[in-house]
């Protein structure tokens, strides 16, 4: 099993600086994600570190130069952008890409937002498939009432419905998001780790307070730590705990801490 560090974990700086810190920390598996500041050097930086040996996956609205833009799959999309993006992924030999289900304003029709998402994700899957890229969709989380929006796939019923509606698309299980599923029991949350390994694209890990997705660092009290033997062997893990602007030594220490945690139950060599 491979342990990736999300580039979102070291956000707020240019891509080259973030990758330099991770490289100096001994990290060679990185998931490109939103967090670093968009800049004209981002694409060149990603290519330079790949040539040195960095291995990439990519997630949602990741930063890829000044062409980067956010998007919401619950709304109509500009498919020329997605064509450029998936072409770029293919040019870098990146073969795994995951997305959010999208969001919609509170008070609007959820069924229409889900229908938009389903149409969009099928289209995106076709683009990825023709370029040798495996697509996954992430489990999301309930928002606070003050947020003004809701995420799709923020509950077990809708994730199960998506699995039925799009069996060809893989699932990304975010354990920090599941921690915010306050109406689900521990066994109900853990069932998503028991999906067949061929149905899972990756597992995202961090911690939070059970109310908001704050990407805090993992402790012995993190809810899933005692259940880590439930992880499917061979499914990549992506660490998303925030390490913004921390020194190389701390980044290395946190990565090794999680690596050892997972290695202790035989998922990593």
């Amino acid at each position: 099993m491979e342990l990736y560090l999300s580039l979102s974990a070291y956000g707020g700086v240019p891509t080259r600086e973030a990758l330099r810190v991770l490289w100096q920390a001994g990290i060679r598996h990185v998931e490109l994600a939103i967090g670093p500041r968009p800049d004209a050097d981002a694409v060149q930086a990603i290519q330079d570190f790949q040539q040195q040996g960095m291995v990439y996956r990519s997630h949602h609205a990741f930063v890829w130069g000044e062409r980067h833009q956010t998007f919401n799959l619950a709304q109509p999309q500009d498919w020329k952008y997605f064509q450029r993006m998936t072409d770029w992924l293919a040019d870098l030999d990146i073969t795994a890409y995951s997305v959010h289900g999208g969001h919609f304003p509170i008070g609007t029709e959820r069924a229409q937002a889900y229908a938009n998402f389903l149409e969009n994700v099928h289209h995106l899957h076709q683009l990825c498939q023709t370029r040798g890229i495996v697509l996954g969709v992430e489990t999301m989380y309930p928002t606070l009432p003050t947020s003004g929006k809701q995420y799709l796939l923020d509950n077990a019923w809708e994730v199960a419905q998506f699995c039925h509606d799009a069996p060809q698309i893989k699932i990304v299980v975010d354990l920090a998001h599941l921690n915010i599923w306050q109406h689900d029991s521990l066994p109900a949350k853990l069932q998503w780790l028991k999906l067949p390994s061929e149905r899972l694209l990756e597992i995202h890990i961090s911690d939070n307070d059970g109310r908001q997705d704050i990407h805090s660092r993992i402790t012995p009290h993190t809810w899933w730590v005692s259940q880590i033997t439930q992880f499917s062997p061979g499914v990549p893990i992506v660490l998303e705990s925030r390490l913004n602007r921390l020194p190389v030594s701390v980044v290395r220490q946190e990565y090794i801490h999680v690596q050892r945690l997972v290695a202790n139950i035989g998922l990593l060599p």
Side-chain angles (χ1 to χ4, degrees):
M1 180 176 288
E2 298 162 330
L3 176 63
Y4 284 74
L5 183 69
S6 172
L7 204 56
S8 66
Y10 210 85
V13 299
T15 299
R16 187 175 296 276
E17 181 178 346
L19 290 173
R20 177 188 59 78
V21 169
L22 303 191
W23 183 268
Q24 291 180 352
I27 296 166
R28 300 294 182 264
H29 291 81
V30 171
E31 180 158 271
L32 304 176
I34 196 168
R37 296 201 303 262
D39 64 86
D41 181 51
V43 169
Q44 188 63 53
I46 290 167
Q47 292 172 338
D48 289 347
F49 279 94
Q50 185 184 51
Q51 290 172 3
Q52 294 183 56
M54 197 80 90
V55 178
Y56 298 123
R57 300 168 80 84
S58 58
H59 177 64
H60 199 54
F62 60 93
V63 173
W64 55 300
E66 295 173 321
R67 294 176 295 177
H68 153 80
Q69 68 184 49
T70 58
F71 57 85
N72 176 9
L73 290 179
Q75 298 177 343
Q77 297 300 308
D78 172 12
W79 286 106
K80 292 182 180 179
Y81 175 81
F82 287 90
Q83 289 168 0
R84 294 195 304 271
M85 182 189 69
T86 50
D87 282 342
W88 185 83
L89 290 175
D91 287 344
L92 256 68
D93 296 320
I94 295 174
T95 58
Y97 175 53
S98 57
V99 292
H100 298 166
H103 57 83
F104 59 97
I106 291 177
T108 61
E109 188 178 354
R110 187 182 191 105
Q112 184 58 57
Y114 181 81
N116 290 340
F117 157 64
L118 206 59
E119 179 181 356
N120 286 330
V121 82
H122 279 302
H123 193 160
L124 182 56
H125 176 256
Q126 291 174 354
L127 289 176
C128 288
Q129 191 174 40
T130 59
R131 292 158 176 79
I133 300 165
V134 180
L135 179 66
V137 176
E138 183 177 18
T139 57
M140 294 304 290
Y141 57 92
T143 57
L144 295 174
T146 55
S147 72
K149 67 179 181 182
Q150 288 181 297
Y151 285 111
L152 294 172
L153 308 187
D154 67 352
N155 62 85
W157 180 88
E158 200 163 59
V159 174
Q161 183 64 45
F162 175 71
C163 289
H164 176 268
D165 292 336
Q168 73 279 28
I169 299 175
K170 296 199 176 191
I171 301 296
V172 174
V173 175
D174 188 310
L175 294 178
H177 292 177
L178 266 58
N179 191 43
I180 309 175
W181 290 13
Q182 297 178 350
H183 300 295
D184 289 74
S185 65
L186 178 61
K189 294 176 182 180
L190 291 174
Q191 71 169 326
W192 298 106
L193 287 173
K194 297 177 181 178
L195 287 173
S197 58
E198 62 270 15
R199 192 68 208 273
L200 292 171
L201 182 68
E202 58 197 33
I203 298 167
H204 289 187
I205 58 173
S206 62
D207 203 356
N208 58 49
D209 59 3
R211 299 178 67 250
Q212 299 182 76
D213 188 35
I214 54 178
H215 290 260
S216 52
R217 290 159 72 177
I218 294 161
T219 75
H221 304 293
T222 300
W223 78 272
W224 51 263
V225 167
S226 63
Q227 307 293 327
I228 200 168
T229 55
Q230 304 285 335
F231 284 29
S232 298
V235 177
I237 297 174
V238 181
L239 175 61
E240 294 188 318
S241 302
R242 297 204 190 282
L243 303 167
N244 294 11
R245 296 186 174 86
L246 292 175
V248 170
S249 59
V250 177
V251 175
R252 179 189 298 116
Q253 182 181 22
E254 181 69 9
Y255 185 80
I256 291 174
H257 162 68
V258 175
Q259 197 173 42
R260 287 175 176 167
L261 177 70
V262 179
N264 284 340
I265 51 88
L267 296 181
L268 286 172

